[in-house]
Each structure stands twice: as structure tokens, then as C-alpha cells.
Amino acid sequence: MKGTRGVLVGGGPAPGFNGVINAVTVAARAQGWKVLGIPKGFSMLMKGDVSEVKELTLADVDGIEQTGGSIVFTSRAKPMKDEASLANVVASIQKLGITDLVTIGGDDTATSAMAIAKKVGIHIRVAHVPKTIDNDLPLPKGASTFGFEQARGPGAQIVAEP
């Protein structure tokens, strides 16, 4: 086993979560990684609760990219709201043996992931997948997040209908 990759979703709902969870899991498992699905964003980790964290297998993610929602759910919880919450998240990640953390969310989730990486130090790598239907992340010109594109298309079609 190469290491343990954790995946969590933060912020409000947007299309495409399960597609990212599927891709992360399939790619990591193909390389010999263990993958943990962290439920409800940072909310449970902020309490030091890892009881619902589940190892994701290929069977768990098979076909989920075609379904809405998130198999690990999401939360708007922000671990940076106080030092104790951030410390609990760091301790939980260390307890789980996570060496790589993949976060899916908007600017608050990205900022939280960066703070966690700084606290844990060289013992963890963090990758953030930008998601927001507001398209308010500082991405390269012309780039948009997957949540924005999936929300904009149907919205524009509904408005254009007679």
C-alpha cells in the first residue's frame, strides 16, 4: 500500500461531486492507494469524530459519476473558525493515517485545506478540486469550475424557453 488518500466535500451542493470522488478513488486504487471517504466535509473531523469514515472500494464508486449528490455528503463547516476545531481536524487526519487529502469545494474549503496542510507539515499533501456554482474562485482566464458549468447550462435553457 502506497499510502492513504482521504477525500471530502465541503460547501454547498453542486453537480459533479460523485464524478470527482469516482475519479479520485479509481485512480488512487489503481496505483495501490487506500482511499477513505470522509463524510460530511470537515464537520465530524472538527469534533474529533472519525467513526463514520469509510474505506472506498471500486465497488463503492462504480457508476456514481452518473448520480447526483455526494456519496460522502457535504457540510459548510469551517475548521478555521477556531483553533480547537482546526486542531481536531489535524489530529483526526493523523489518526486516520492520511498522507494525501483531496478536498472538493469552494474558497472556504480550499482555505481550510491549506491551513490543515500548514499545520500537518510535510507529512501530508493536499489537492483541492475547485467547485462552486458561483464561479468565484481565482482560476485562469476562461476556466470555470465543474459546478458552475453544470448549473449554468440548464439554467440558461430554462430562461430561454418560451
Side-chain angles (χ1 to χ4, degrees), residues 8 10 101-111 113 126-131 137:
L8 68 80
L101 178 64
V102 178
T103 58
I104 308 163
D107 57 344
D108 288 331
T109 306
T111 301
V126 175
H128 181 72
V129 180
K131 172 281 320 171
L137 293 172

Side-chain angles (χ1 to χ4, degrees), residues 2-158:
K2 285 189 173 183
T4 301
R5 187 162 288 168
V7 61
L8 68 80
V9 177
F17 287 143
N18 280 336
V20 177
I21 295 166
N22 173 284
V24 167
T25 303
V26 170
R29 300 291 294 202
Q31 297 296 316
W33 290 79
K34 180 179 181 179
V35 180
L36 298 178
I38 302 169
K40 303 171 189 164
F42 291 112
S43 66
M44 295 180 73
L45 299 181
M46 288 169 59
K47 300 172 190 170
D49 183 354
V50 297
S51 64
E52 294 184 34
V53 173
K54 177 188 179 209
E55 182 170 354
L56 297 177
T57 66
L58 294 178
D60 292 323
V61 301
D62 185 36
I64 67 167
E65 71 279 4
Q66 297 180 32
T67 63
S70 164
I71 65 166
V72 295
F73 305 103
T74 186
S75 168
R76 293 183 186 269
K78 300 175 187 175
M80 296 192 37
K81 72 179 185 175
D82 62 67
E83 195 59 38
S85 293
L86 186 57
N88 282 340
V89 172
V90 169
S92 296
I93 285 171
Q94 291 171 329
K95 180 178 183 177
L96 293 166
I98 293 174
T99 55
D100 293 67
L101 178 64
V102 178
T103 58
I104 308 163
D107 57 344
D108 288 331
T109 306
T111 301
S112 295
M114 184 174 66
I116 290 161
K118 286 180 181 177
K119 287 279 187 190
V120 175
I122 63 169
H123 305 289
I124 192 168
R125 295 183 303 173
V126 175
H128 181 72
V129 180
K131 172 281 320 171
T132 173
I133 64 170
D134 302 328
N135 205 33
D136 59 353
L137 293 172
L139 300 175
K141 185 175 174 114
S144 59
T145 68
F146 66 84
F148 175 72
E149 288 302 324
Q150 280 78 11
R152 181 180 64 105
Q157 184 178 5
I158 290 168

